[in-house]
Amino acid sequence: MAVAEKRARGSRGKKNKSVKEQDQGQRDNAKPAKTFQGNGHYSEGGGGESSRPARPDRRAQIDNAAIFGFIDPEVQQYFKGVEKTLDEMNFEAVEEIQLFLENVYTEVQGKELVLATDHSCSLVLEKLLRASNDFQLRVFFDKFNGNFLKLFTHRFASHVCQTLITLCADVVEREVKSNEIKTKEEHDVPQEDGVLLSAENLILNMCNQTREEFTALISDPFASHIIRVILHVLAGRSVADDGTGKGNVRSKKSAKYNDANNSKLNANSARPTRLVPPSFKEMLRTITSTMTNGLSDSIVRSLAVHQVANPVLQLLLEVLAKDDEATKDGLVDKLLMDITKEEEPGYKNNDRDAYVETLLRDQVGSHLLEKILQVASPTLFQKFYTSYFRGRLAKLSFHPVANYVIQQFFVHAKTPIQLEMMVTEVLPEFENFLKFGRPGVLRAVVEACKNVGACYKDVIKGLCNAFHTQTPVERKEFIHVVLNMETYESFLERRESQESTKPKFHPQGAVTLQLILQYPEEHSKIVIDSYFAQKDELMYSWTLDPVGSHVIEAFLTSPTVNLKVKRKILRSFLGKYHQMALDRFGGHTVDKCWAVSDIEMKEKIAQELLEHEHALSQSYYGKFILRNCKIDQFKRKKEEWVEREKGIERKKDMFKEILGDAVLATAHGKQTTASDGTDRHADLPAPNPKMADLGFGGGIAGVKTVTEKKKKKKSKKDSEDPDKLLIVDEGEENKVREKYKSDEIDKLFKKRSHGKGASSKKRSIDEDGEMSSASESEADDESEREEEPKKKKKKVAKDLESVLDAIDATKKKKKKAKKAKAEEKSEDKKKSSKKDKDSKKRKFMS
């Protein structure tokens, strides 16, 4: 209904010129002449009534809006002064603010409902509520008791209710933390006879009064926002509506007004979750079950394409996915005609197929389909792929609406085999995605590889082909072409024609580069090499760009980028940190540089900032850098500053020693991948024995700690996975591949262990010149193994050899360190013994 009305309104004034002239001529001919009556008014000629349709009575609209009466002009004038005071907030002490608020609430008492339904006063009420304390919020909330349904559906009062519920959610969290409720004696605020309920009970009472009408309020243009806020609050989730205009609940118009007028009154940063009492969880289950049971199948499907109700259904699915999986599946079945239930092979539901195709291409319904894919179980996700997307991913990716559904489908891929089939299908179309303006699909594929841990090599190769960067010379500009989302030829043409013009980076390209930098080091190397092929001045200019600065920060914060690369980047910015600190975006880059710097680099950065302290102290952004880097302490008490920073470094080193070399491997980007691009858990080095002292029983598990029985159990579980059962051929191949890998790992370790035993025995022979009978027999066994036929030996994967080489290297380092310590001790003993002998000789001579 709403979509049709919008289209009807939008088509106004779009007639052809000839049709307009014809209509105008008909109106002129049909319009009777006007005569002057002498009293300042015109009347239509012909003595008949006017053919013009009657305009809606403005007075009637105002009367309908003022359901609780009208505000006196004096009160409206008073509230204008209150708004001005709240905007300025020129109070010297907190007591003055509280005194002002108490005076305002005294004036408001008894007029809460009238003020909430007035256009101008409702805006002032929202500002007043944001500046109020917990007790004042509870008192005001209590005044709405019994009138919530009328207020929820009111054009102006609904915004007041939304703000009030959001603020009371924070009060509930404080009550849960402290388990104390401020009583009436603490504040001298007049209150009617009776007990003032806690914020928890006030919200529960409101839900009990309105929950039976929630199914009707879903499609109400004013109440639907409040339904979403209530679901957020009861689920313990942040509403993300803190007055900054960046919320996920308010309309665009309301968010824009809050951004301009209410951002000063709410400086608290939004948190993803908040503490809620157990009663909220019970109420949430009651409301969700009431909403799902109260909606019939046909009504739910009509609401799926409703502009107002669609966001409520999305939030309902998201909440149910975390709280009640069965109820979530029930709602999905209502939407998509029992899609979660098991069906016979080859069964087709034509009605469901047609409805899914409608949702795919509908501007409103596609959002709900995206949410269903996000919360879908692996089995349902695979059913979507086999029934609706297999063989059609490339075609749907070019659709102006369906491509967003395909992006979410890639991002939430479940298994490596599934992703490999999907990537293989769209890989030939990478260049066309770039050509026809679908960079979001490219970004989604790159993100899917990062999430699942597969197909790294194929995607990087596909990107190189799409951007025409196959040769080493062309790949030096890989970071440029991806960031601008253009081919190599168009990049060169633009650079030659607009050398002095600063290019505008593509946001999707920046996100793509950030995702590639989280790939294993061997796959992200193409971006790193391209970065260092650029001039330092150009990379410095990126730090001052709102889009390019995120790419520079990704180099510094990525867990897979080598520490040597990060240090090289830090050194390239020396002498420019003070200029970066003065910039809005460069300041964030300085913070990231500081976080990854060692003590020597921090001293250099701090010294540079100290030399420009005056300029930085005068800058709004420079002040934060001086504070974060503790430049004042560095200036006055440098030794204490150094000790403090060294203490932070010691804590980091201590955690590295406790957790073993696995943390170092992650920090340095030492992650091995299989030949097919999948991540392996076998890349962890040998376990650290110190983990056993902490009670972890042998430390972090490396490759050797995985027994053969566990591998067999794991392979059985994988074979029983419903996703792999649906893809029979691919599942069998994967099973054989995993079994082959496990056998190779075991044989490789046996071979290495025997090799090490033989080499150690040979060293003992060289040192002592003797060989025991046991060593002779083992040497014979070794020669027999070497003479075995080559047909039985299988080719070992290179990635496994690199894993074992890394493990051997760590062990050799530890052995060298022990030997060095032992040699130092022996030298110290020799020196001490020589000193003793010399002293004895001197005594004897004397």
Side-chain angles (χ1 to χ4, degrees):
M1 183 73 73
V3 178
E5 289 176 0
K6 187 176 180 181
R7 286 173 182 165
R9 294 191 197 99
S11 62
R12 252 174 105 182
K14 293 185 179 179
K15 292 183 179 181
N16 293 332
K17 189 174 180 181
S18 59
V19 177
K20 286 184 178 180
E21 291 175 353
Q22 185 178 357
D23 293 346
Q24 186 66 32
Q26 291 176 358
R27 287 196 204 99
D28 294 339
N29 295 331
K31 190 183 296 183
K34 293 183 179 180
T35 57
F36 187 70
Q37 299 293 329
N39 55 356
H41 296 283
Y42 288 91
S43 65
E44 300 292 344
E49 295 182 357
S50 174
S51 61
R52 186 182 303 171
R55 294 181 59 188
D57 190 3
R58 178 65 178 164
R59 189 67 188 175
Q61 291 181 352
I62 296 173
D63 291 341
N64 293 332
I67 56 177
F68 295 105
F70 294 94
I71 293 291
D72 295 334
E74 296 178 358
V75 178
Q76 287 184 336
Q77 193 66 29
Y78 171 75
F79 263 78
K80 287 183 180 179
V82 171
E83 183 179 19
K84 186 177 180 181
T85 306
L86 289 172
D87 289 337
E88 294 174 355
M89 291 295 278
N90 293 328
F91 298 102
E92 296 181 357
V94 181
E95 291 78 10
E96 294 183 6
I97 301 175
Q98 291 301 321
L99 183 62
F100 168 74
L101 293 175
E102 289 177 2
N103 292 333
V104 175
Y105 275 108
T106 304
E107 185 68 29
V108 166
Q109 190 177 11
K111 308 182 185 72
E112 292 86 359
L113 297 173
V114 185
L115 291 169
T117 53
D118 184 77
H119 171 58
S120 58
C121 294
S122 63
L123 299 174
V124 184
L125 269 184
E126 290 190 61
K127 294 185 179 182
L128 181 66
L129 291 172
R130 288 189 171 94
S132 303
N133 57 35
D134 295 356
F135 182 78
Q136 291 163 345
L137 289 172
R138 288 163 53 208
V139 171
F140 194 87
F141 201 115
D142 189 61
K143 298 295 183 181
F144 285 177
N145 189 23
N147 297 289
F148 289 113
L149 284 175
K150 294 180 181 178
L151 296 171
F152 284 2
T153 56
H154 194 273
R155 182 177 183 180
F156 309 126
S158 60
H159 293 284
V160 179
C161 292
Q162 183 175 335
T163 302
L164 184 60
I165 296 170
T166 305
L167 295 173
C168 283
D170 296 329
V171 180
V172 172
E173 185 177 25
R174 288 191 284 271
E175 288 178 356
V176 172
K177 288 180 179 179
S178 62
N179 291 324
E180 295 177 359
I181 302 171
K182 296 182 178 180
T183 58
K184 192 169 84 172
E185 291 92 29
E186 291 175 314
H187 295 273
D188 191 17
V189 178
Q191 178 73 10
E192 294 180 0
D193 294 336
V195 179
L196 180 62
L197 300 176
S198 64
E200 173 189 352
N201 292 326
L202 287 169
I203 293 176
L204 292 174
N205 184 37
M206 175 193 67
C207 293
N208 286 324
Q209 294 181 26
T210 57
R211 68 184 183 187
E212 297 298 332
E213 302 295 331
F214 273 19
T215 52
L217 297 177
I218 285 178
S219 56
D220 189 274
F222 306 123
S224 64
H225 295 279
I226 301 176
I227 302 301
R228 289 156 64 189
V229 170
I230 292 173
L231 292 176
H232 273 287
V233 171
L234 294 178
R237 302 174 56 186
S238 176
V239 183
D241 187 14
D242 54 355
T244 59
K246 299 177 182 178
N248 55 6
V249 175
R250 284 190 178 272
S251 62
K252 292 181 179 179
K253 190 175 181 180
S254 177
K256 187 177 180 180
Y257 175 83
N258 277 334
D259 191 18
N261 297 277
N262 294 331
S263 58
K264 295 180 181 178
L265 296 173
N266 249 331
N268 297 328
S269 59
R271 301 180 305 279
T273 58
R274 55 160 57 96
L275 294 175
V276 291
S279 58
F280 275 26
K281 296 291 184 181
E282 295 175 4
M283 180 57 70
L284 178 65
R285 294 189 186 97
T286 304
I287 289 176
T288 52
S289 62
T290 303
M291 293 175 70
T292 52
N293 296 330
L295 295 171
S296 64
D297 297 358
S298 58
I299 293 176
V300 169
R301 290 175 203 136
S302 63
L303 293 177
V305 292
H306 193 280
Q307 280 185 322
V308 176
N310 184 283
V312 183
L313 293 177
Q314 291 182 50
L315 181 59
L316 198 59
L317 284 171
E318 197 172 344
V319 170
L320 289 173
K322 296 183 179 179
D323 187 67
D324 193 349
E325 192 73 21
T327 310
K328 185 259 296 182
D329 289 340
L331 182 57
V332 173
D333 284 336
K334 282 190 174 185
L335 284 166
L336 300 179
M337 307 173 192
D338 299 332
I339 194 171
T340 63
K341 296 180 181 179
E342 294 184 4
E343 297 172 348
E344 296 179 0
Y347 173 79
K348 285 189 177 182
N349 190 328
N350 295 328
D351 293 337
R352 183 175 64 203
D353 296 346
Y355 186 70
V356 171
E357 294 296 328
T358 303
L359 292 180
L360 260 174
R361 293 168 172 80
D362 188 80
Q363 291 183 349
V364 179
S366 60
H367 291 279
L368 184 62
L369 191 57
E370 289 178 36
K371 186 61 65 176
I372 292 174
L373 292 175
Q374 290 177 22
V375 302
S377 62
T379 306
L380 179 58
F381 192 90
Q382 182 62 32
K383 192 172 184 178
F384 265 108
Y385 177 54
T386 54
S387 302
Y388 302 110
F389 295 128
R390 181 190 284 179
R392 304 175 60 206
L393 289 174
K395 180 181 178 182
L396 292 173
S397 297
F398 290 104
H399 193 273
V401 176
N403 80 89
Y404 295 102
V405 181
I406 299 302
Q407 291 179 34
Q408 290 297 321
F409 188 72
F410 268 103
V411 170
H412 293 88
K414 306 297 181 182
T415 61
I417 297 175
Q418 189 181 70
L419 180 63
E420 186 176 350
M421 295 175 65
M422 292 160 60
V423 169
T424 305
E425 191 174 333
V426 299
L427 204 60
E429 301 293 334
F430 271 20
E431 186 173 353
N432 289 328
F433 292 155
L434 188 66
K435 182 179 179 181
F436 294 104
R438 294 288 177 263
V441 180
L442 291 176
R443 189 266 314 153
V445 175
V446 173
E447 186 176 355
C449 296
K450 193 257 310 179
N451 294 340
V452 178
C455 303
Y456 297 124
K457 188 176 180 180
D458 295 336
V459 170
I460 294 296
K461 187 177 179 181
L463 290 175
C464 291
N465 293 333
F467 290 105
H468 301 171
T469 54
Q470 287 92 350
T471 64
V473 177
E474 293 171 344
R475 291 191 177 188
K476 288 182 179 180
E477 307 298 339
F478 182 81
I479 194 170
H480 279 289
V481 295
V482 175
L483 190 56
N484 293 288
M485 278 292 165
E486 58 185 357
T487 60
Y488 181 76
E489 292 79 12
S490 59
F491 165 72
L492 292 180
E493 183 180 352
R494 180 180 55 78
R495 190 169 63 175
E496 292 174 0
S497 59
Q498 300 177 350
E499 188 68 33
S500 59
T501 312
K502 185 180 179 181
K504 188 176 181 180
F505 299 136
H506 200 293
Q508 293 283 13
V511 176
T512 303
L513 288 175
Q514 293 174 60
L515 292 168
I516 294 175
L517 286 171
Q518 297 182 44
Y519 282 12
E521 189 176 4
E522 59 268 26
H523 300 293
S524 63
K525 192 174 182 295
I526 183 172
V527 180
I528 297 171
D529 293 342
S530 177
Y531 176 90
F532 289 114
Q534 313 303 320
K535 296 179 180 179
D536 291 343
E537 289 296 328
L538 180 61
M539 294 296 101
Y540 162 70
S541 66
W542 285 19
T543 62
L544 311 180
D545 186 86
V547 179
S549 60
H550 289 284
V551 179
I552 303 297
E553 292 171 15
F555 279 95
L556 301 170
T557 57
S558 173
T560 60
V561 175
N562 198 298
L563 281 176
K564 292 181 180 179
V565 174
K566 296 180 180 180
R567 287 170 183 161
K568 192 173 180 181
I569 294 173
L570 294 175
R571 286 194 296 270
S572 67
F573 292 145
L574 284 175
K576 302 167 186 173
Y577 283 105
H578 66 282
Q579 297 175 357
M580 293 161 59
L582 296 172
D583 185 74
R584 176 184 178 184
F585 307 105
H588 292 289
T589 308
V590 174
D591 284 333
K592 296 294 188 299
C593 292
W594 184 267
V596 299
S597 299
D598 55 10
I599 186 64
E600 295 179 4
M601 182 57 67
K602 283 183 178 179
E603 284 193 49
K604 293 178 181 178
I605 297 173
Q607 187 63 42
E608 180 183 339
L609 296 176
L610 181 61
E611 293 174 359
H612 302 83
E613 183 183 13
H614 180 70
L616 292 171
S617 61
Q618 301 296 320
S619 170
Y620 175 78
Y621 306 107
K623 290 177 182 177
F624 293 103
I625 301 300
L626 293 176
R627 184 190 65 187
N628 295 343
C629 300
K630 302 289 188 297
I631 300 303
D632 187 59
Q633 186 183 17
F634 178 80
K635 177 182 177 182
R636 301 178 186 278
K637 300 176 182 179
K638 185 176 180 180
E639 293 180 357
E640 292 183 8
W641 182 90
V642 172
E643 286 299 322
R644 177 181 172 278
E645 296 298 332
K646 284 184 177 179
I648 296 173
E649 292 295 325
R650 281 195 295 269
K651 287 179 182 178
K652 291 180 182 178
D653 295 337
M654 182 178 66
F655 280 110
K656 287 178 184 178
E657 289 179 3
I658 292 173
L659 297 176
D661 295 329
V663 177
L664 287 171
T666 305
H668 293 180
K670 295 177 181 177
Q671 296 184 359
T672 58
T673 53
S675 58
D676 58 350
T678 58
D679 258 345
R680 300 257 182 85
H681 296 287
D683 59 353
L684 290 174
N688 194 320
K690 293 184 180 180
M691 292 297 290
D693 299 335
L694 296 174
F696 289 98
I700 297 176
V703 180
K704 289 186 179 180
T705 59
V706 182
T707 59
E708 194 169 352
K709 291 181 180 179
K710 288 183 180 179
K711 287 181 180 178
K712 288 181 180 178
K713 289 180 181 178
K714 192 172 182 181
S715 63
K716 286 180 182 178
K717 289 180 181 178
D718 291 341
S719 63
E720 293 172 0
D721 194 344
D723 298 341
K724 294 182 180 179
L725 288 173
L726 290 169
I727 311 175
V728 181
D729 299 335
E730 288 77 3
E732 290 296 325
E733 290 177 4
N734 187 53
K735 189 175 178 182
V736 173
R737 198 185 305 161
E738 287 181 354
K739 187 175 180 182
Y740 171 75
K741 291 173 184 174
S742 63
D743 294 340
E744 288 301 324
I745 292 171
D746 294 336
K747 288 183 180 180
L748 192 59
F749 267 108
K750 288 178 183 177
K751 183 178 177 182
R752 285 297 180 103
S753 62
H754 287 304
K756 287 181 181 178
S759 61
S760 62
K761 289 179 178 67
K762 286 181 181 179
R763 290 194 203 100
S764 63
I765 294 166
D766 295 335
E767 292 176 358
D768 301 332
E770 295 179 356
M771 179 185 286
S772 62
S773 60
S775 62
E776 289 178 357
S777 62
E778 288 180 5
D780 294 335
D781 293 339
E782 186 69 21
S783 62
E784 287 177 3
R785 289 190 199 95
E786 291 176 355
E787 290 175 0
E788 283 180 2
K790 293 182 179 180
K791 294 180 181 179
K792 295 182 180 180
K793 293 184 181 180
K794 294 183 179 180
K795 206 169 184 180
V796 180
K798 293 182 180 179
D799 52 329
L800 295 177
E801 290 183 347
S802 62
V803 171
L804 297 173
D805 291 339
I807 296 172
D808 293 339
T810 54
K811 288 184 177 180
K812 286 179 182 179
K813 287 180 181 179
K814 291 180 180 179
K815 287 181 180 179
K816 286 181 181 180
K818 287 182 180 178
K819 284 183 179 181
K821 289 182 180 178
E823 289 175 359
E824 288 177 1
K825 287 182 180 180
S826 62
E827 288 178 1
D828 292 337
K829 287 181 180 180
K830 288 179 181 179
K831 289 179 181 178
S832 61
S833 62
K834 284 183 180 180
K835 288 181 180 179
D836 293 337
K837 288 180 181 180
D838 292 337
S839 61
K840 288 179 181 179
K841 284 182 180 180
R842 287 169 189 164
K843 288 180 181 179
F844 180 79
M845 293 296 292
S846 61

